[in-house]
Amino acid sequence: MTETYVVVGASLAGARAVETLRTEGFDGRVVLVGAENHLPYDRPPLSKEVILGHKQPGETLIHPAEFYSDNDIELLLGAWATRIDTHGGRVELDRGRSIAADKVLLCTGTTPRRPDVPGLDLDGVHFLRTIDDSAAIRDKLLAGGSVVIIGGGLIGIELAASALALGNDVTVLERDAGLLRRVLGARIGDRLSRLHSENGIRIRTNAEVARIEGDHHVRRVHTMDGFVVEADVVVVGIGVLPAIELARDSGIDLDNGIVVDEFCETSVPNIYAAGDIANHPNEVAGERIRLEHWQNAQNQGIAAARSMVGHREPYRDVPWFWSDQGETNIQVAGRPRATDDLVWRGDPESMEFSVFHLRHGVLVGVVGVNRRRDVRMAMSLIDKHVRPEQALLADPAVDLRKIGDSQSVVRGLPQ
């Protein structure tokens, strides 16, 4: 009897999963269910290349339409999965539809956080999550005017740099004491904040938004401390939440996302999860983590599909992500913490440097600013739990690959 595998979420993870099911030899029925009416696409360009017009929306597609037909992958786009009947083996959809499923993979991703402030429904107030969001924001930015970005995280700053490049007047409101501190640490975050300020972005920290005002269209934003900024466009980017409603309503274990094992399987047999929603054990990090990064979505989608067809291997990637902010490229690998010992390589004032994070002498993370090669080389050292000599890490003339050949390796990651 032919088996049916259903992947819920036409995301990067979902697209790579259905591709992998076929390349791994699964010859049963494959169904990809997506809430949007678009083919699966990459999200990183939405705050940069698409906004700037360097890429058309169609250029973000992971696969062209014919890929799915050529590989006998059924697409159900514009469809919502409403429930998984874990006993009857069915995925229930909107409009009374359902699909019999032998195995299910959840790749439902995340949804934007919505602040509890008045005015979110005014025309001109946007969230950036989908390709339609990006196109709508671009149309507003091309008209020019005053843009307010609520949230000084990676997406917010990427978008601020793009809006500035299109000739807009840009203000960023960040509730923390500095930009990007939780992601990159205070020193790097503050250096990048100064860079963006010098480029012309107005940055206000410790800025808690009180309300967004306007008639039918947004006109201004008020903060709790009485600051008021005029706005033709407002984009809210204060983070995301895992889209776990389907899993919750199906009785699947949750804890900061969907709890999965090292093979991406949930607490319910034959139901898997991958990507932004999956809280998984990560051997490299030495803890359970949920990652909202492109690399994790792609590779965990692949790993989950392999597990579904019986080719089970523990998922253990070194976490890695990047952010392009104007001309500046930032990359982070491993699991850096604020309490780690830091080794600096290069001059932060030059905007070309790396920071290595050591925990009890073991290399556990790296942040690179315009130093892609350092991050790439450090990832293999992080994977091996190397104890490097700090003087070698700090010397830009030292090839990091030689450190890996000469330094000691430890088993297990210090907590």
Side-chain angles (χ1 to χ4, degrees):
M1 184 174 177
T2 300
E3 287 190 302
T4 298
Y5 290 179
V6 177
V7 178
V8 180
S11 56
L12 171 62
R16 292 303 184 201
V18 295
E19 174 187 358
T20 303
L21 289 175
R22 289 306 189 212
T23 58
E24 291 292 315
F26 179 68
D27 59 2
R29 185 186 180 197
V30 175
V31 183
L32 179 60
V33 179
E36 294 183 55
N37 287 307
H38 301 287
L39 294 171
Y41 56 85
D42 268 329
R43 296 188 189 274
L46 301 187
S47 59
K48 303 177 283 288
E49 293 97 328
V50 172
I51 290 287
L52 292 169
H54 298 162
K55 276 188 176 181
Q56 296 303 308
E59 296 179 280
T60 67
L61 295 181
I62 298 165
H63 297 301
E66 55 268 24
F67 168 85
Y68 301 97
S69 56
D70 290 348
N71 287 278
D72 196 21
I73 296 167
E74 297 178 42
L75 289 173
L76 287 180
L77 301 179
W80 288 87
T82 59
R83 180 175 174 269
I84 302 173
D85 180 353
T86 56
H87 299 292
R90 301 191 72 83
V91 176
E92 298 178 2
L93 308 175
D94 59 338
R95 290 177 281 174
R97 297 172 293 174
S98 68
I99 309 169
D102 295 283
K103 294 184 181 181
V104 177
L105 171 59
L106 301 176
C107 301
T108 48
T110 58
T111 58
R113 290 180 181 270
R114 295 177 63 89
D116 185 17
V117 298
L120 287 180
D121 295 328
L122 289 169
D123 183 36
V125 178
H126 298 268
F127 293 81
L128 177 55
R129 180 59 184 164
T130 70
I131 202 162
D132 292 333
D133 295 335
S134 184
I137 293 169
R138 172 172 163 77
D139 286 345
K140 296 287 180 63
L141 296 182
L142 288 176
S146 297
V147 179
V148 175
I149 311 292
I150 300 175
L154 293 173
I155 298 300
I157 298 304
E158 289 176 0
L159 183 58
S162 298
L164 184 72
L166 290 175
N168 293 272
D169 185 70
V170 183
T171 300
V172 174
L173 302 178
E174 167 56 44
R175 66 184 297 181
D176 201 355
L179 295 186
L180 303 169
R181 287 185 171 187
R182 283 167 290 180
V183 179
L184 304 175
R187 186 174 177 186
I188 299 177
D190 292 350
R191 178 66 186 92
L192 289 169
S193 181
R194 182 154 55 89
L195 170 72
H196 292 304
S197 295
E198 291 167 352
N199 288 341
I201 297 173
R202 282 192 298 277
I203 297 169
R204 189 172 181 88
T205 56
N206 295 308
E208 184 82 25
V209 173
R211 65 187 182 276
I212 303 169
E213 283 187 348
D215 31 48
H216 295 297
H217 192 281
V218 64
R219 298 301 177 196
R220 63 195 64 86
V221 180
H222 293 252
T223 65
M224 292 290 191
D225 61 359
F227 177 73
V228 182
V229 56
E230 299 299 311
D232 299 300
V233 181
V234 172
V235 182
V236 181
I238 59 170
V240 294
L241 295 169
I244 49 79
E245 293 80 8
L246 182 62
R248 180 195 61 208
D249 296 343
S250 303
I252 296 170
D253 286 352
L254 304 175
D255 181 11
N256 182 29
I258 299 174
V259 176
V260 299
D261 63 16
E262 66 270 33
F263 304 108
C264 306
E265 192 166 12
T266 73
S267 60
V268 176
N270 296 322
I271 299 181
Y272 300 76
D276 296 2
I277 57 170
N279 180 341
H280 66 279
N282 186 285
E283 179 189 339
V284 178
E287 60 184 344
R288 276 193 163 273
I289 55 177
R290 185 180 64 80
L291 299 173
E292 298 166 1
H293 308 324
W294 182 93
Q295 172 232 31
N296 179 72
Q298 170 173 267
N299 295 351
Q300 198 170 36
I302 292 170
R306 288 180 53 82
S307 292
M308 292 171 76
V309 300
H311 302 164
R312 291 160 60 90
E313 294 179 5
Y315 176 71
R316 61 173 314 280
D317 277 16
V318 176
W320 168 79
F321 67 90
W322 82 95
S323 174
D324 290 318
Q325 302 174 12
E327 300 299 317
T328 302
N329 173 262
I330 300 119
Q331 297 194 18
V332 180
R335 291 290 283 176
R337 294 178 186 168
T339 54
D340 294 334
D341 297 321
L342 305 182
V343 177
W344 294 76
R345 182 184 180 98
D347 179 12
E349 290 303 309
S350 72
M351 290 305 297
E352 188 174 323
F353 62 92
S354 298
V355 185
F356 299 94
H357 285 244
L358 286 83
R359 201 169 303 150
H360 304 296
V362 179
L363 183 63
V364 294
V366 60
V367 179
V369 176
N370 293 320
R371 294 290 286 260
R372 295 174 174 84
R373 181 178 173 84
D374 282 359
V375 176
R376 188 169 63 253
M377 295 297 100
M379 287 178 71
S380 65
L381 306 182
I382 294 168
D383 187 33
K384 297 174 183 176
H385 300 165
V386 168
R387 294 185 184 274
E389 292 183 23
Q390 295 191 17
L392 296 179
L393 284 180
D395 187 350
V398 173
D399 188 332
L400 292 178
R401 290 173 296 184
K402 295 181 179 178
I403 295 178
D405 292 338
S406 61
Q407 304 300 297
S408 62
V409 176
V410 298
R411 297 298 176 191
L413 187 65
Q415 300 301 306

